[in-house]
Amino acid sequence: MRDIHTHILPGIDDGSRDLYDSMEMAAMAADSGTTTIIATPHCNIPGVYDNYFGKEYAELFRKTARELEHNHIPVKLLPGMEVYSTFELPRLLAEGKIITLNKTRYLLMEFDFQEDPDFADMILKKMWETKAIPVIAHAERYEFVQDDPEIVYRWQEKGYAVQVNKGSFMGRFGRDAQNTAFELLDHNLITAIASDAHSPYQRTPWMQDVYQALLEDYPPDYLDVLFTANPGRICMGQEVIRFRRIAFEDTYQF
């Protein structure tokens, strides 16, 4: 498996507190079958985290990668950010203050959980026009997606990618997020499932639990695309696999 959304860099946001936590997270990920992790600290959250790309990020990333190697943890660490969406995002990308996932065209973007969907569509379009490919982080957690999950189909049609948190399937973020995660899964609207890991104790990078749970109801070939193939394609900057849309009304016919 490959995990494109983690807060594994130590002491930079609300994720890993220190290198010890980071190593515990990486070892846990490796034990659960994850071979590649993208470090995606929060970036551009006004008044909370700036974390723009620069010397501090580069040094912290290299330090963490060296520690992984020193501890013989078989996980490849790649650079990235989870970027909070504001009007300034296109300018910040042009100025090199934010980086894409492994420096590909894919950009992990998050929104306020009560965001206006019109603003979300507008900024996603602007980022697409810069040649970035938006990857919408934890799409199932936004109220406007919970209210109208078909918006995700429109995103997929435009070429965007959609990431869902593994914890949402287990009820970690409430019933609405859980229901929406399964709706998106049932309608072929997820590009990648990731951990959004924050620590080795809660919201961990252990992916096997949800993978095994989903195997009870979903084909392994389908899940392997979401846990491994598509995340790997994103890491390499390649086109992702997309599935035929299943219309929402098809699910509710009696």
Side-chain angles (χ1 to χ4, degrees):
M1 289 182 278
R2 301 174 179 94
D3 194 350
I4 64 168
H5 184 174
T6 72
H7 298 267
I8 195 171
L9 292 187
I12 193 172
D13 63 3
D14 60 345
S16 169
R17 297 170 300 180
D18 49 36
L19 269 176
Y20 179 81
D21 270 3
S22 299
M23 294 307 105
E24 287 286 300
M25 292 171 69
M28 181 179 292
D31 288 344
S32 76
T34 299
T35 60
T36 305
I37 286 175
I38 303 185
T40 54
H42 290 293
C43 171
N44 193 48
I45 301 180
V48 183
Y49 301 113
D50 290 333
N51 286 339
Y52 298 120
F53 182 69
K55 183 178 179 180
E56 179 183 1
Y57 178 99
E59 289 182 349
L60 187 60
F61 179 86
R62 286 194 292 266
K63 181 179 181 180
T64 307
R66 285 196 301 267
E67 197 69 14
L68 285 172
E69 185 176 354
H70 177 75
N71 284 275
H72 306 290
I73 299 174
V75 170
K76 185 174 184 180
L77 188 67
L78 302 175
M81 292 175 170
E82 180 185 15
V83 185
Y84 188 83
S85 298
T86 64
F87 285 106
E88 294 76 23
L89 210 52
R91 174 181 58 81
L92 293 170
L93 181 63
E95 293 175 353
K97 291 185 177 180
I98 58 177
I99 58 172
T100 53
L101 297 176
N102 197 29
K103 301 182 180 180
T104 66
R105 289 178 59 197
Y106 290 100
L107 178 67
L108 186 66
M109 298 172 59
E110 70 167 330
F111 298 97
D112 188 283
F113 292 119
Q114 291 81 42
E115 188 59 86
D116 178 350
D118 290 335
F119 171 80
D121 281 340
M122 180 274 294
I123 197 66
L124 287 166
K125 180 181 178 185
K126 284 187 176 295
M127 296 314 296
W128 180 264
E129 290 170 350
T130 71
K131 307 302 181 184
I133 302 174
V135 180
I136 295 96
H138 42 62
E140 77 287 359
R141 297 184 64 193
Y142 304 122
E143 288 186 3
F144 68 94
V145 174
Q146 295 168 4
D147 292 340
D148 179 21
E150 286 218 45
I151 194 173
V152 179
Y153 170 65
R154 299 193 290 273
W155 287 345
Q156 292 274 17
E157 274 196 319
K158 293 175 181 178
Y160 311 154
V162 175
Q163 178 259 310
V164 165
N165 282 4
K166 60 112 175 178
S168 291
F169 294 105
M170 313 299 281
R172 175 65 177 79
F173 305 103
R175 182 169 294 180
D176 289 340
Q178 183 179 36
N179 290 341
T180 303
F182 277 105
E183 277 194 293
L184 299 182
L185 187 63
D186 289 339
H187 292 86
N188 293 345
L189 294 176
I190 299 174
T191 309
I193 295 173
S195 71
D196 192 5
H198 278 63
S199 85
Y201 314 108
Q202 298 183 47
R203 297 181 65 176
T204 75
W206 185 268
M207 299 283 277
Q208 274 296 331
D209 52 356
V210 68
Y211 181 82
Q212 293 298 326
L214 293 175
L215 268 180
E216 296 180 8
D217 298 302
Y218 299 89
D221 289 349
Y222 179 41
L223 297 179
D224 288 344
V225 170
L226 305 183
F227 282 87
T228 303
N230 271 348
R233 287 169 177 260
I234 288 171
C235 291
M236 298 298 293
Q238 299 169 347
E239 185 174 351
V240 296
I241 297 168
R242 299 185 186 275
F243 300 98
R244 180 186 63 84
R245 180 210 184 190
I246 298 176
F248 279 82
E249 56 268 21
D250 291 349
T251 302
Y252 303 111
Q253 291 179 350
F254 296 97

